[in-house]
């Protein structure tokens, strides 16, 4: 009887699993098909870009470069106006300013160190560590 039960339980379970269809890759395109697709893509891009002049044959990359250069020219002009005239005195003046800032920095560091030492001493007294 034990054999019958084990056989029935094995046969009673459905052994059929749903099999999903295997995915297949797309077929590889020929060189002609790839060239045609690339030409169509380039034609689509060319129709979106503005033409530089009627009848000129400027590539899309050249158009993009011209567009960037056109935007950059006003910025370059603005920078040239705001720059100080370069002279030997201006360079020496910057060095003098840096030396003065270094001296001020050293003074501030010393005063901060003194302040922190005094605070630490007060805290030690309050905590009874001294």
């Amino acid at each position: 009887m034990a054999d019958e039960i084990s056989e029935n339980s094995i046969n009673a379970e459905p052994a059929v699993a749903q099999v999903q269809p295997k995915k297949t890759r797309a077929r590889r395109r020929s060189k002609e098909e790839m060239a045609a697709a690339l030409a169509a893509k380039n034609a689509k891009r060319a129709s979106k870009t503005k033409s530089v002049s009627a009848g000129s044959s400027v590539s899309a990359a050249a158009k993009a470069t011209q567009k960037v250069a056109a935007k950059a020219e006003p910025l370059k002009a603005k920078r040239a106006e705001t720059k100080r005239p370069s002279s030997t005195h201006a360079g020496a003046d910057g060095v003098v300013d840096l030396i003065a800032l270094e001296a001020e920095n050293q003074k501030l560091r010393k005063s901060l160190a003194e302040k922190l030492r005094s605070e630490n001493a007060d805290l030690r007294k309050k905590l009874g560590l001294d």
Side-chain angles (χ1 to χ4, degrees), residues 84 87-104:
R84 291 187 291 176
S87 65
T88 56
H89 187 341
D93 207 19
V95 172
V96 171
D97 289 340
L98 287 175
I99 292 172
L101 287 171
E102 273 298 318
E104 184 181 2

Side-chain angles (χ1 to χ4, degrees), residues 38-91:
L38 183 62
K41 189 175 185 181
N42 287 339
K44 188 175 182 181
R45 284 184 184 171
S47 67
K48 287 183 180 180
T49 59
K50 296 177 184 176
S51 61
V52 176
S53 64
S56 68
S57 61
V58 179
S59 69
K63 289 178 187 178
T65 304
Q66 289 173 354
K67 190 183 282 188
V68 170
K71 287 182 182 179
E73 283 187 31
L75 295 175
K76 287 180 182 178
K78 192 180 236 184
R79 286 184 193 152
E81 291 173 3
T82 59
K83 280 188 177 179
R84 291 187 291 176
S86 70
S87 65
T88 56
H89 187 341

Side-chain angles (χ1 to χ4, degrees), residues 23-44:
K23 293 182 181 180
T24 58
R25 290 186 179 178
R27 69 176 182 84
R28 191 175 181 122
R29 297 187 292 178
S30 66
K31 289 183 181 180
E32 293 82 20
E33 289 175 328
M34 290 180 3
L38 183 62
K41 189 175 185 181
N42 287 339
K44 188 175 182 181

